[in-house]
Amino acid sequence: MGTVVDDDASEEFHAFFERHYAELSRLAHLLTGEADAADGLAADALLALWHRWDRVRAADHPAAYARGVVANLARTRIRGAVRERRRVALFWSQREEKTENPDVAGVVDVQEALRRLPFRKRACVVLRHAFDLSEKDTALALGVSVGTVKSQTSKGMAELQRLLGPQSPPLRMHAAALARGGESGGRTR
């Protein structure tokens, strides 16, 4: 991707930006229904246009091209949101099981330790142990390989054990309570 850097192109792009940014943001808002994401989508679209400005400025209708870029970015965002909703739906259990006398302090300790893990390790540990998903379902939910799930879960559990110390109660009991907000839990193994 060659970015055009001559002064005429830069001035032309700046004028295009000033003229069309609000319109592109409004389009993104109407397409996604997300006011807070609209400015970001418009900015992403304009950045993509800048990287191809030599071709865009030669087009018959640069504004129409820009609208198409926003529409494609909005479509991608909506598809991502749909995939995320499907992933979240996998996590919710249909049954509610109450835990008697939950160890609230233990749950708080596990929550704090989980926050210290990198995202992928945390996600693997939570999905495998708190939500009791299989390695395959965890891989599907995270969009990674089963091998990655195995590796990250193992490393995450080892790191949690190190953070919580050898005196801590079994992590799975706390993880199950954590998945239900600290007051109810799923299966403990």
Side-chain angles (χ1 to χ4, degrees):
M1 279 187 255
T3 303
V4 178
V5 291
D6 68 51
D7 289 339
D8 289 340
S10 182
E11 287 178 24
E12 192 177 289
F13 179 79
H14 182 74
F16 182 86
F17 180 96
E18 293 295 325
R19 191 170 41 253
H20 295 286
Y21 179 77
E23 169 197 348
L24 296 174
S25 181
R26 190 170 58 252
L27 174 62
H29 178 207
L30 292 171
L31 291 175
T32 64
E34 300 176 24
D36 56 338
D39 285 337
L41 285 173
D44 289 346
L46 286 163
L47 179 62
L49 292 176
W50 170 247
H51 286 295
R52 294 174 195 83
W53 188 243
D54 55 334
R55 284 183 269 160
V56 174
R57 72 195 265 207
D60 290 335
H61 303 285
Y65 184 82
R67 286 186 212 103
V69 172
V70 169
N72 286 334
L73 289 172
R75 181 181 307 114
T76 300
R77 183 174 180 86
I78 291 166
R79 286 179 178 164
V82 168
R83 279 192 304 273
E84 184 65 23
R85 277 188 230 118
R86 287 180 185 152
R87 290 175 183 159
V88 168
L90 286 173
F91 306 152
W92 295 109
S93 173
Q94 299 299 332
R95 64 185 191 281
E96 295 216 8
E97 299 174 16
K98 296 287 183 187
T99 301
E100 305 232 358
N101 302 319
D103 180 5
V104 176
V107 170
V108 170
D109 289 344
V110 171
Q111 286 176 332
E112 183 57 37
L114 280 169
R115 281 188 207 104
R116 294 177 65 187
L117 293 179
F119 176 77
R120 187 174 286 173
K121 287 180 187 173
R122 181 180 345 135
C124 287
V125 168
V126 169
L127 293 174
R128 289 284 294 128
H129 296 290
F131 288 92
D132 203 27
L133 291 184
S134 69
E135 290 167 342
K136 182 180 177 184
D137 287 341
T138 301
L140 179 66
L142 297 176
V144 298
S145 71
V146 171
T148 299
V149 170
K150 290 178 181 182
S151 168
Q152 294 296 295
T153 302
S154 175
K155 290 175 183 177
M157 290 300 288
E159 198 166 333
L160 280 177
Q161 190 65 42
R162 184 186 58 75
L163 290 169
L164 294 170
Q167 308 299 347
S168 65
L171 292 176
R172 291 181 185 179
M173 290 192 319
H174 292 307
L178 174 67
R180 305 272 192 232
E183 295 196 29
S184 61
R187 266 183 339 148
T188 57
R189 294 182 206 169

